[in-house]
Amino acid sequence: WLGWLTDKDYVSHTPVALDGSNSGLQHFSAMLRDPVGGAAVNLLPCEKPQDVYMQVAKRAQEIVDSQPTITITRKDGEGEEYSETHPNPWVGGKVTRKIAKRPTMTYCYSATRYGMVDMIHQTLREIDGDGEPHLGGFDNYQAASYLSYAIWDAISQTVVAASGAMAWLRDVAKATTKAGIPVWWTNPVGLPVLQMYCEESSKQLAVYVGGKRLQVKMNVDSSTVLRSSTQANAIAPNFVHSFDAAHLMSVANSCRNAGIKYIAVIHDSFGTHAANAGVLSTLLRETFINQYSPDVLSRFRDQVVSQLPPDAANDIGPPP
């Protein structure tokens, strides 16, 4: 900026980055034609940019504000459990955007409520490191465990359609696993994707390091038996990542065709020189629209059904 002000012929080499508004939710909202989720992640026209993390934080705050006390279960010195009731430490605006961001970001990638406990706890440690304890000295882990339920419900209520799509994808994976076959599909740029998590067996190996004998356990995949729980839990993140990657590849190809030779990408952040930022902005939207103009979920279902025997195919309902 300073260079341009002092020299009108100045050539900028600074990359300008254009970031997605929670790309996982953007992809799910687009493939589902979901106006609610789409509005929350800036896929629909609006006067001001929308912030899905703040929306989740506000909804979670409404949930906790309706519960003035919380009950915590502890163990005494003899291991017997007992309950304590405390004033709710989250009441009164304590659920911030920063606290809601990590759980919301990872929701579409099959984050569990249990995993959200650690995310909230970590964020509380970061906030506390900047000054006064955010919750006034209340046990941060207990508070994070309680809030994980409210955050989970708030996300589910904010992006209802995405939740339904993730459940449908899990059902697809369960059906294919029951039939004894892995899941494969082709993403929008023609890349075949195979999801095949097999049961593992472990072997004990004796290795020598620096003259010392160590026992090492090595996990070995079975060649045939699929892990049903992993197949089901992994399908949503793997599916949306494959479409995220397809969009990135389309953007890169479109940039090349438009004469943009230099781009920098980090997941859903696309950067280029300032002079080409406007063109990149248009290409990002055009390629995204082109990717989701077809009904990609129906196409995915057709691919999966073609791999299954008829009785197993009947277990897969229509996509949401």
Side-chain angles (χ1 to χ4, degrees), residues 203-233:
K203 293 182 178 180
Q204 292 286 345
L205 300 178
V207 298
Y208 293 86
V209 179
K212 294 183 178 180
R213 185 177 184 272
L214 301 175
Q215 288 286 112
V216 177
K217 185 173 77 170
M218 181 177 70
N219 291 330
V220 181
D221 279 346
S222 158
S223 60
T224 56
V225 183
L226 295 168
R227 270 186 283 162
S228 59
S229 61
T230 308
Q231 286 288 104
N233 292 334

PDB file of all heavy atoms in Angstrom, residues 203-233:
ATOM      1  N   LYS A 203       1.122 -57.240  16.081  1.00  0.00           N
ATOM      2  CA  LYS A 203       2.252 -58.159  16.219  1.00  0.00           C
ATOM      3  C   LYS A 203       3.307 -57.503  17.100  1.00  0.00           C
ATOM      4  O   LYS A 203       3.543 -56.296  17.006  1.00  0.00           O
ATOM      5  CB  LYS A 203       2.857 -58.489  14.851  1.00  0.00           C
ATOM      6  CG  LYS A 203       1.957 -59.291  13.937  1.00  0.00           C
ATOM      7  CD  LYS A 203       2.666 -59.607  12.634  1.00  0.00           C
ATOM      8  CE  LYS A 203       1.790 -60.457  11.713  1.00  0.00           C
ATOM      9  NZ  LYS A 203       2.489 -60.774  10.437  1.00  0.00           N
ATOM     10  N   GLN A 204       3.919 -58.312  17.936  1.00  0.00           N
ATOM     11  CA  GLN A 204       5.019 -57.841  18.783  1.00  0.00           C
ATOM     12  C   GLN A 204       6.333 -58.082  18.058  1.00  0.00           C
ATOM     13  O   GLN A 204       6.607 -59.184  17.603  1.00  0.00           O
ATOM     14  CB  GLN A 204       5.025 -58.566  20.133  1.00  0.00           C
ATOM     15  CG  GLN A 204       3.855 -58.228  21.040  1.00  0.00           C
ATOM     16  CD  GLN A 204       3.981 -56.844  21.655  1.00  0.00           C
ATOM     17  OE1 GLN A 204       5.049 -56.243  21.634  1.00  0.00           O
ATOM     18  NE2 GLN A 204       2.872 -56.331  22.189  1.00  0.00           N
ATOM     19  N   LEU A 205       7.112 -57.025  17.934  1.00  0.00           N
ATOM     20  CA  LEU A 205       8.409 -57.140  17.280  1.00  0.00           C
ATOM     21  C   LEU A 205       9.511 -56.784  18.267  1.00  0.00           C
ATOM     22  O   LEU A 205       9.366 -55.870  19.077  1.00  0.00           O
ATOM     23  CB  LEU A 205       8.491 -56.200  16.074  1.00  0.00           C
ATOM     24  CG  LEU A 205       7.468 -56.401  14.954  1.00  0.00           C
ATOM     25  CD1 LEU A 205       7.678 -55.348  13.880  1.00  0.00           C
ATOM     26  CD2 LEU A 205       7.590 -57.796  14.359  1.00  0.00           C
ATOM     27  N   ALA A 206      10.595 -57.505  18.186  1.00  0.00           N
ATOM     28  CA  ALA A 206      11.768 -57.193  18.996  1.00  0.00           C
ATOM     29  C   ALA A 206      12.748 -56.420  18.123  1.00  0.00           C
ATOM     30  O   ALA A 206      13.171 -56.910  17.077  1.00  0.00           O
ATOM     31  CB  ALA A 206      12.415 -58.467  19.529  1.00  0.00           C
ATOM     32  N   VAL A 207      13.079 -55.213  18.524  1.00  0.00           N
ATOM     33  CA  VAL A 207      14.039 -54.407  17.769  1.00  0.00           C
ATOM     34  C   VAL A 207      15.164 -53.991  18.707  1.00  0.00           C
ATOM     35  O   VAL A 207      14.998 -53.927  19.930  1.00  0.00           O
ATOM     36  CB  VAL A 207      13.362 -53.162  17.142  1.00  0.00           C
ATOM     37  CG1 VAL A 207      12.294 -53.580  16.149  1.00  0.00           C
ATOM     38  CG2 VAL A 207      12.770 -52.266  18.218  1.00  0.00           C
ATOM     39  N   TYR A 208      16.304 -53.700  18.122  1.00  0.00           N
ATOM     40  CA  TYR A 208      17.468 -53.301  18.900  1.00  0.00           C
ATOM     41  C   TYR A 208      17.876 -51.889  18.500  1.00  0.00           C
ATOM     42  O   TYR A 208      18.121 -51.605  17.322  1.00  0.00           O
ATOM     43  CB  TYR A 208      18.618 -54.284  18.677  1.00  0.00           C
ATOM     44  CG  TYR A 208      18.323 -55.658  19.236  1.00  0.00           C
ATOM     45  CD1 TYR A 208      17.633 -56.600  18.477  1.00  0.00           C
ATOM     46  CD2 TYR A 208      18.723 -55.995  20.532  1.00  0.00           C
ATOM     47  CE1 TYR A 208      17.337 -57.849  18.988  1.00  0.00           C
ATOM     48  CE2 TYR A 208      18.433 -57.252  21.050  1.00  0.00           C
ATOM     49  CZ  TYR A 208      17.739 -58.168  20.282  1.00  0.00           C
ATOM     50  OH  TYR A 208      17.453 -59.403  20.805  1.00  0.00           O
ATOM     51  N   VAL A 209      17.915 -50.999  19.470  1.00  0.00           N
ATOM     52  CA  VAL A 209      18.298 -49.614  19.238  1.00  0.00           C
ATOM     53  C   VAL A 209      19.431 -49.260  20.204  1.00  0.00           C
ATOM     54  O   VAL A 209      19.267 -49.328  21.423  1.00  0.00           O
ATOM     55  CB  VAL A 209      17.104 -48.653  19.453  1.00  0.00           C
ATOM     56  CG1 VAL A 209      17.546 -47.207  19.229  1.00  0.00           C
ATOM     57  CG2 VAL A 209      15.946 -49.008  18.522  1.00  0.00           C
ATOM     58  N   GLY A 210      20.572 -48.916  19.642  1.00  0.00           N
ATOM     59  CA  GLY A 210      21.704 -48.576  20.498  1.00  0.00           C
ATOM     60  C   GLY A 210      22.136 -49.714  21.399  1.00  0.00           C
ATOM     61  O   GLY A 210      22.560 -49.483  22.537  1.00  0.00           O
ATOM     62  N   GLY A 211      21.971 -50.925  20.915  1.00  0.00           N
ATOM     63  CA  GLY A 211      22.363 -52.083  21.704  1.00  0.00           C
ATOM     64  C   GLY A 211      21.324 -52.519  22.720  1.00  0.00           C
ATOM     65  O   GLY A 211      21.527 -53.510  23.427  1.00  0.00           O
ATOM     66  N   LYS A 212      20.181 -51.819  22.784  1.00  0.00           N
ATOM     67  CA  LYS A 212      19.131 -52.191  23.729  1.00  0.00           C
ATOM     68  C   LYS A 212      17.967 -52.844  22.988  1.00  0.00           C
ATOM     69  O   LYS A 212      17.581 -52.429  21.902  1.00  0.00           O
ATOM     70  CB  LYS A 212      18.622 -50.959  24.476  1.00  0.00           C
ATOM     71  CG  LYS A 212      19.657 -50.334  25.395  1.00  0.00           C
ATOM     72  CD  LYS A 212      19.052 -49.161  26.168  1.00  0.00           C
ATOM     73  CE  LYS A 212      20.071 -48.556  27.126  1.00  0.00           C
ATOM     74  NZ  LYS A 212      19.482 -47.410  27.884  1.00  0.00           N
ATOM     75  N   ARG A 213      17.405 -53.859  23.607  1.00  0.00           N
ATOM     76  CA  ARG A 213      16.285 -54.593  23.007  1.00  0.00           C
ATOM     77  C   ARG A 213      14.975 -53.934  23.417  1.00  0.00           C
ATOM     78  O   ARG A 213      14.711 -53.716  24.605  1.00  0.00           O
ATOM     79  CB  ARG A 213      16.306 -56.049  23.469  1.00  0.00           C
ATOM     80  CG  ARG A 213      15.252 -56.942  22.819  1.00  0.00           C
ATOM     81  CD  ARG A 213      15.425 -58.393  23.294  1.00  0.00           C
ATOM     82  NE  ARG A 213      14.507 -59.304  22.631  1.00  0.00           N
ATOM     83  CZ  ARG A 213      13.274 -59.569  23.054  1.00  0.00           C
ATOM     84  NH1 ARG A 213      12.835 -58.964  24.159  1.00  0.00           N
ATOM     85  NH2 ARG A 213      12.507 -60.424  22.406  1.00  0.00           N
ATOM     86  N   LEU A 214      14.142 -53.606  22.426  1.00  0.00           N
ATOM     87  CA  LEU A 214      12.849 -52.984  22.696  1.00  0.00           C
ATOM     88  C   LEU A 214      11.738 -53.820  22.088  1.00  0.00           C
ATOM     89  O   LEU A 214      11.906 -54.429  21.035  1.00  0.00           O
ATOM     90  CB  LEU A 214      12.794 -51.564  22.103  1.00  0.00           C
ATOM     91  CG  LEU A 214      13.833 -50.559  22.596  1.00  0.00           C
ATOM     92  CD1 LEU A 214      13.701 -49.259  21.818  1.00  0.00           C
ATOM     93  CD2 LEU A 214      13.647 -50.299  24.094  1.00  0.00           C
ATOM     94  N   GLN A 215      10.592 -53.851  22.777  1.00  0.00           N
ATOM     95  CA  GLN A 215       9.407 -54.526  22.257  1.00  0.00           C
ATOM     96  C   GLN A 215       8.509 -53.474  21.599  1.00  0.00           C
ATOM     97  O   GLN A 215       8.083 -52.517  22.239  1.00  0.00           O
ATOM     98  CB  GLN A 215       8.639 -55.231  23.372  1.00  0.00           C
ATOM     99  CG  GLN A 215       9.327 -56.484  23.910  1.00  0.00           C
ATOM    100  CD  GLN A 215       9.227 -57.636  22.933  1.00  0.00           C
ATOM    101  OE1 GLN A 215      10.235 -58.051  22.371  1.00  0.00           O
ATOM    102  NE2 GLN A 215       8.030 -58.150  22.729  1.00  0.00           N
ATOM    103  N   VAL A 216       8.205 -53.652  20.330  1.00  0.00           N
ATOM    104  CA  VAL A 216       7.382 -52.699  19.588  1.00  0.00           C
ATOM    105  C   VAL A 216       6.154 -53.419  19.051  1.00  0.00           C
ATOM    106  O   VAL A 216       6.256 -54.528  18.525  1.00  0.00           O
ATOM    107  CB  VAL A 216       8.178 -52.083  18.410  1.00  0.00           C
ATOM    108  CG1 VAL A 216       7.290 -51.138  17.608  1.00  0.00           C
ATOM    109  CG2 VAL A 216       9.397 -51.356  18.924  1.00  0.00           C
ATOM    110  N   LYS A 217       4.994 -52.774  19.227  1.00  0.00           N
ATOM    111  CA  LYS A 217       3.766 -53.358  18.692  1.00  0.00           C
ATOM    112  C   LYS A 217       3.458 -52.725  17.337  1.00  0.00           C
ATOM    113  O   LYS A 217       3.458 -51.504  17.194  1.00  0.00           O
ATOM    114  CB  LYS A 217       2.591 -53.117  19.643  1.00  0.00           C
ATOM    115  CG  LYS A 217       1.307 -53.816  19.192  1.00  0.00           C
ATOM    116  CD  LYS A 217       0.201 -53.712  20.227  1.00  0.00           C
ATOM    117  CE  LYS A 217      -0.422 -52.333  20.204  1.00  0.00           C
ATOM    118  NZ  LYS A 217      -1.653 -52.280  21.032  1.00  0.00           N
ATOM    119  N   MET A 218       3.215 -53.559  16.332  1.00  0.00           N
ATOM    120  CA  MET A 218       2.904 -53.083  14.988  1.00  0.00           C
ATOM    121  C   MET A 218       1.499 -53.527  14.606  1.00  0.00           C
ATOM    122  O   MET A 218       1.162 -54.707  14.747  1.00  0.00           O
ATOM    123  CB  MET A 218       3.919 -53.626  13.976  1.00  0.00           C
ATOM    124  CG  MET A 218       3.674 -53.144  12.555  1.00  0.00           C
ATOM    125  SD  MET A 218       4.937 -53.735  11.392  1.00  0.00           S
ATOM    126  CE  MET A 218       4.516 -55.481  11.330  1.00  0.00           C
ATOM    127  N   ASN A 219       0.668 -52.579  14.171  1.00  0.00           N
ATOM    128  CA  ASN A 219      -0.673 -52.910  13.710  1.00  0.00           C
ATOM    129  C   ASN A 219      -0.642 -53.278  12.234  1.00  0.00           C
ATOM    130  O   ASN A 219      -0.009 -52.594  11.431  1.00  0.00           O
ATOM    131  CB  ASN A 219      -1.624 -51.731  13.929  1.00  0.00           C
ATOM    132  CG  ASN A 219      -1.889 -51.483  15.402  1.00  0.00           C
ATOM    133  OD1 ASN A 219      -1.860 -52.410  16.212  1.00  0.00           O
ATOM    134  ND2 ASN A 219      -2.146 -50.242  15.758  1.00  0.00           N
ATOM    135  N   VAL A 220      -1.333 -54.344  11.896  1.00  0.00           N
ATOM    136  CA  VAL A 220      -1.358 -54.844  10.524  1.00  0.00           C
ATOM    137  C   VAL A 220      -2.807 -54.932  10.067  1.00  0.00           C
ATOM    138  O   VAL A 220      -3.657 -55.527  10.744  1.00  0.00           O
ATOM    139  CB  VAL A 220      -0.692 -56.235  10.413  1.00  0.00           C
ATOM    140  CG1 VAL A 220      -0.720 -56.720   8.968  1.00  0.00           C
ATOM    141  CG2 VAL A 220       0.732 -56.183  10.943  1.00  0.00           C
ATOM    142  N   ASP A 221      -3.122 -54.318   8.920  1.00  0.00           N
ATOM    143  CA  ASP A 221      -4.480 -54.364   8.383  1.00  0.00           C
ATOM    144  C   ASP A 221      -4.822 -55.757   7.884  1.00  0.00           C
ATOM    145  O   ASP A 221      -4.007 -56.433   7.265  1.00  0.00           O
ATOM    146  CB  ASP A 221      -4.638 -53.384   7.215  1.00  0.00           C
ATOM    147  CG  ASP A 221      -4.863 -51.964   7.685  1.00  0.00           C
ATOM    148  OD1 ASP A 221      -5.165 -51.791   8.873  1.00  0.00           O
ATOM    149  OD2 ASP A 221      -4.725 -51.035   6.866  1.00  0.00           O
ATOM    150  N   SER A 222      -6.070 -56.160   8.158  1.00  0.00           N
ATOM    151  CA  SER A 222      -6.601 -57.359   7.517  1.00  0.00           C
ATOM    152  C   SER A 222      -6.848 -57.029   6.043  1.00  0.00           C
ATOM    153  O   SER A 222      -7.092 -55.882   5.682  1.00  0.00           O
ATOM    154  CB  SER A 222      -7.912 -57.773   8.186  1.00  0.00           C
ATOM    155  OG  SER A 222      -8.675 -58.576   7.330  1.00  0.00           O
ATOM    156  N   SER A 223      -6.817 -58.009   5.198  1.00  0.00           N
ATOM    157  CA  SER A 223      -7.004 -57.738   3.769  1.00  0.00           C
ATOM    158  C   SER A 223      -8.467 -57.781   3.360  1.00  0.00           C
ATOM    159  O   SER A 223      -8.816 -57.378   2.259  1.00  0.00           O
ATOM    160  CB  SER A 223      -6.223 -58.763   2.940  1.00  0.00           C
ATOM    161  OG  SER A 223      -6.677 -60.076   3.227  1.00  0.00           O
ATOM    162  N   THR A 224      -9.352 -58.245   4.251  1.00  0.00           N
ATOM    163  CA  THR A 224     -10.744 -58.451   3.826  1.00  0.00           C
ATOM    164  C   THR A 224     -11.791 -57.881   4.783  1.00  0.00           C
ATOM    165  O   THR A 224     -12.829 -57.401   4.324  1.00  0.00           O
ATOM    166  CB  THR A 224     -11.027 -59.957   3.653  1.00  0.00           C
ATOM    167  OG1 THR A 224     -10.720 -60.640   4.876  1.00  0.00           O
ATOM    168  CG2 THR A 224     -10.181 -60.541   2.526  1.00  0.00           C
ATOM    169  N   VAL A 225     -11.562 -57.932   6.065  1.00  0.00           N
ATOM    170  CA  VAL A 225     -12.605 -57.585   7.033  1.00  0.00           C
ATOM    171  C   VAL A 225     -12.606 -56.075   7.283  1.00  0.00           C
ATOM    172  O   VAL A 225     -11.599 -55.496   7.705  1.00  0.00           O
ATOM    173  CB  VAL A 225     -12.405 -58.331   8.370  1.00  0.00           C
ATOM    174  CG1 VAL A 225     -13.545 -57.994   9.329  1.00  0.00           C
ATOM    175  CG2 VAL A 225     -12.336 -59.827   8.121  1.00  0.00           C
ATOM    176  N   LEU A 226     -13.740 -55.430   7.016  1.00  0.00           N
ATOM    177  CA  LEU A 226     -13.848 -53.981   7.172  1.00  0.00           C
ATOM    178  C   LEU A 226     -14.202 -53.613   8.605  1.00  0.00           C
ATOM    179  O   LEU A 226     -14.937 -54.326   9.288  1.00  0.00           O
ATOM    180  CB  LEU A 226     -14.917 -53.434   6.227  1.00  0.00           C
ATOM    181  CG  LEU A 226     -14.638 -53.579   4.731  1.00  0.00           C
ATOM    182  CD1 LEU A 226     -15.898 -53.274   3.932  1.00  0.00           C
ATOM    183  CD2 LEU A 226     -13.512 -52.646   4.305  1.00  0.00           C
ATOM    184  N   ARG A 227     -13.682 -52.476   9.051  1.00  0.00           N
ATOM    185  CA  ARG A 227     -14.027 -51.936  10.368  1.00  0.00           C
ATOM    186  C   ARG A 227     -15.303 -51.119  10.224  1.00  0.00           C
ATOM    187  O   ARG A 227     -15.279 -49.990   9.727  1.00  0.00           O
ATOM    188  CB  ARG A 227     -12.904 -51.042  10.898  1.00  0.00           C
ATOM    189  CG  ARG A 227     -11.854 -51.774  11.718  1.00  0.00           C
ATOM    190  CD  ARG A 227     -10.878 -50.790  12.309  1.00  0.00           C
ATOM    191  NE  ARG A 227      -9.919 -50.332  11.312  1.00  0.00           N
ATOM    192  CZ  ARG A 227      -9.182 -49.242  11.441  1.00  0.00           C
ATOM    193  NH1 ARG A 227      -9.330 -48.460  12.489  1.00  0.00           N
ATOM    194  NH2 ARG A 227      -8.313 -48.908  10.505  1.00  0.00           N
ATOM    195  N   SER A 228     -16.420 -51.641  10.668  1.00  0.00           N
ATOM    196  CA  SER A 228     -17.717 -51.006  10.419  1.00  0.00           C
ATOM    197  C   SER A 228     -17.814 -49.624  11.052  1.00  0.00           C
ATOM    198  O   SER A 228     -18.304 -48.678  10.424  1.00  0.00           O
ATOM    199  CB  SER A 228     -18.856 -51.898  10.912  1.00  0.00           C
ATOM    200  OG  SER A 228     -18.726 -52.162  12.299  1.00  0.00           O
ATOM    201  N   SER A 229     -17.351 -49.473  12.288  1.00  0.00           N
ATOM    202  CA  SER A 229     -17.483 -48.179  12.959  1.00  0.00           C
ATOM    203  C   SER A 229     -16.631 -47.115  12.272  1.00  0.00           C
ATOM    204  O   SER A 229     -17.069 -45.975  12.089  1.00  0.00           O
ATOM    205  CB  SER A 229     -17.094 -48.295  14.438  1.00  0.00           C
ATOM    206  OG  SER A 229     -15.736 -48.717  14.564  1.00  0.00           O
ATOM    207  N   THR A 230     -15.422 -47.484  11.854  1.00  0.00           N
ATOM    208  CA  THR A 230     -14.556 -46.521  11.184  1.00  0.00           C
ATOM    209  C   THR A 230     -15.088 -46.171   9.805  1.00  0.00           C
ATOM    210  O   THR A 230     -15.037 -45.009   9.384  1.00  0.00           O
ATOM    211  CB  THR A 230     -13.125 -47.078  11.073  1.00  0.00           C
ATOM    212  OG1 THR A 230     -12.682 -47.497  12.361  1.00  0.00           O
ATOM    213  CG2 THR A 230     -12.169 -46.019  10.543  1.00  0.00           C
ATOM    214  N   GLN A 231     -15.605 -47.165   9.083  1.00  0.00           N
ATOM    215  CA  GLN A 231     -16.192 -46.896   7.774  1.00  0.00           C
ATOM    216  C   GLN A 231     -17.331 -45.876   7.898  1.00  0.00           C
ATOM    217  O   GLN A 231     -17.456 -44.953   7.088  1.00  0.00           O
ATOM    218  CB  GLN A 231     -16.727 -48.191   7.151  1.00  0.00           C
ATOM    219  CG  GLN A 231     -15.651 -49.137   6.620  1.00  0.00           C
ATOM    220  CD  GLN A 231     -14.992 -48.631   5.347  1.00  0.00           C
ATOM    221  OE1 GLN A 231     -13.868 -48.145   5.370  1.00  0.00           O
ATOM    222  NE2 GLN A 231     -15.694 -48.737   4.232  1.00  0.00           N
ATOM    223  N   ALA A 232     -18.160 -46.033   8.931  1.00  0.00           N
ATOM    224  CA  ALA A 232     -19.305 -45.140   9.107  1.00  0.00           C
ATOM    225  C   ALA A 232     -18.861 -43.748   9.562  1.00  0.00           C
ATOM    226  O   ALA A 232     -19.354 -42.731   9.059  1.00  0.00           O
ATOM    227  CB  ALA A 232     -20.280 -45.734  10.118  1.00  0.00           C
ATOM    228  N   ASN A 233     -17.925 -43.694  10.504  1.00  0.00           N
ATOM    229  CA  ASN A 233     -17.507 -42.394  11.049  1.00  0.00           C
ATOM    230  C   ASN A 233     -16.670 -41.589  10.065  1.00  0.00           C
ATOM    231  O   ASN A 233     -16.646 -40.358  10.119  1.00  0.00           O
ATOM    232  CB  ASN A 233     -16.712 -42.601  12.341  1.00  0.00           C
ATOM    233  CG  ASN A 233     -17.574 -43.126  13.470  1.00  0.00           C
ATOM    234  OD1 ASN A 233     -18.783 -42.904  13.491  1.00  0.00           O
ATOM    235  ND2 ASN A 233     -16.973 -43.845  14.405  1.00  0.00           N
TER     236      ASN A 233
END
